[in-house]
Amino acid sequence: MAATLTALLLLAGCGGTGDEEPAASGGSGGAGGDVLSGQLTVFAAASLTEAFDRIGQQLQARHPQLFVTVNYGGSSGLATQINEGAPADVFAAASPATMTTVTDAGNNAGAPVVFARNQLVIAVAKGNPKDVTGLADLARPGLKVALCAEEVPCGAAAKRAGVTVTPVTLERDVKAALAKVKLGEVDAALVYRTDATAAPSDVDAVEFPESANAINDYPIVVLADAPNPAAAAGFVEFVRTEGLAVLTEAGFQAP
Amino acid sequence: MTGRQRVPVALLVPALLGLAFLVLPLAGLLIRAPWGTLPARLAEPQVLAALRLSLLTATLATVLCLLLGVPLAWLLARVEFRGRRLVRALVTVPLVLPPVVGGVALLLVFGRRGIIGQWLDQAFGITLPFTTAGVVLAEAFVALPFLVIAVEGALRGADARFEEAAATLGAGRWTTFTHVTLPLVAPGIAAGGVLCWARALGEFGATITFAGNFPGRTQTMPLAVYLALERDVEAAIVLSLILLAVSVTILAALRDRWVGSAT
């Protein structure tokens, strides 16, 4: 469904910019020009939502002819969509394993680079009413815990961190797990630090030492069939340079 | 059929395109299906658990819908009351409401902090999200309108003179309902029930939002398909094939009522 939506947006974008494009490419003069234009479609892990929204806005502010659309979702699902031919320019995954799905299929242009790292925390309701202090507390009887499904990176990371609790639900992505804490339906969820940082008024983050074993690397790559390779390269470059400030502020670690 | 007519190309071409549009995606499933490994994949415990749970919850949801929906349909078809049109409109809202919205709404009412859920939790220690009962509730929410509409249609189509005759012979309203009305519209109830069951079986949005996803407890087939797609396209295709097979079987069972009713 997300892929269809992106495709529609892409079509709409092409229609809208059709008469501007010749002028833009003429102005940039091709090789030497630094002006990015046209529609750029980025497929990004759900945990990048806040950071990439801001990075996209910053890049668009610099390049008024550029329209950035980001399709957020579970990395593995995005990888599947890309391999099934979804039109995308850039893929930013929440784990090297999901990136491998795309590179193994030969859908990448160039090698993926790690642009950020993320660590797991325990998200609890504001004020930590159940007094969760570490991983061991999650096994306490009566405490409801949401984890990510193992198929998506946040679930795989939880497994690497040695989490053995029995959750009440295995959510489809990290944002869904966090939402269950925000709604009060579970007492705790394992999410990325960045997700807890993005919801300061709803949840508190409890750090736990075991998460050091489960730091997720975020790779990014320009895709082989990118409809807009120039803008794609520009986006990746921007993420790795000026975008770093946004990423750090969101709670990511520099690579 | 009125025999061989000349079909205008302007109608024939879009008609065939429409047919292809509906049939091709299903054919795609069959073409891409990993037939060689199919038996092994079908025997995977997680697949069986999801299938068993789906059949169980869809059936329980249908029972719940029959218990609540038949009286509701009767009310709408046989009793004149103020605001009946409004009630009928409200009953059909879940038909057009995105199921995920239904899931959010269910959370806000039956969730641990919900209006009713809070009370259930404090008074009885019952929480519905993340339980099989929660799945049944989510499925019933989206499937109930299908049953009500089908049964109400059957009631309106049924000859009310039999009921009137029963009444003149001294039967009370309840006796009339159980001995005259119900047998009269039984085929309509059956068709509505099957439709309702099929809708419950395919439910995804409200279920994953309200009941979560846990293998064996709340992970129904559509949820398993969604998560399988994250990991392994072939697994998702296999699960989809099962749902497709079940859906086609249901349509075959309903053939006389809905599909082939004109022939």
Side-chain angles (χ1 to χ4, degrees), chain B residues 3-44:
Chain B
R4 288 168 200 283
Q5 282 182 331
R6 187 163 293 183
V7 182
V9 177
L11 292 179
L12 188 63
V13 171
L16 290 179
L17 279 176
L19 182 66
F21 175 60
L22 290 176
V23 174
L24 272 181
L26 306 180
L29 271 180
L30 296 173
I31 292 165
R32 284 281 299 270
W35 295 107
T37 56
L38 199 61
R41 283 180 178 280
L42 288 179
E44 279 172 30

Side-chain angles (χ1 to χ4, degrees), chain A residues 143-192:
Chain A
L143 200 81
K144 293 196 170 180
V145 180
L147 297 181
C148 292
E150 257 178 51
E151 287 89 341
V152 294
C154 55
K159 202 182 176 199
R160 283 206 308 280
V163 172
T164 55
V165 295
T166 307
V168 292
T169 180
L170 295 165
E171 292 292 317
R172 63 197 183 279
D173 66 41
V174 66
K175 292 294 179 195
L178 185 71
K180 297 279 152 62
V181 180
K182 287 188 191 173
L183 283 165
E185 294 303 334
V186 298
D187 302 303
L190 280 195
V191 302
Y192 296 120

Side-chain angles (χ1 to χ4, degrees), chain B residues 102-177:
Chain B
V104 173
L106 285 171
L107 266 181
L108 297 182
V109 174
F110 294 108
R112 215 156 51 140
R113 288 188 194 159
I115 308 157
I116 296 173
Q118 200 172 29
W119 170 76
L120 280 177
D121 188 17
Q122 283 161 7
F124 304 103
I126 298 172
T127 51
L128 289 166
F130 315 124
T131 63
T132 307
V135 178
V136 174
L137 223 56
E139 291 181 348
F141 180 77
V142 295
L144 184 56
F146 287 84
L147 183 90
V148 174
I149 288 175
V151 176
E152 197 204 341
L155 282 167
R156 288 184 176 279
D159 199 335
R161 280 176 303 179
F162 290 108
E163 294 172 14
E164 284 157 16
T168 54
L169 292 172
R173 269 203 147 174
W174 175 250
T175 312
T176 310
F177 176 73

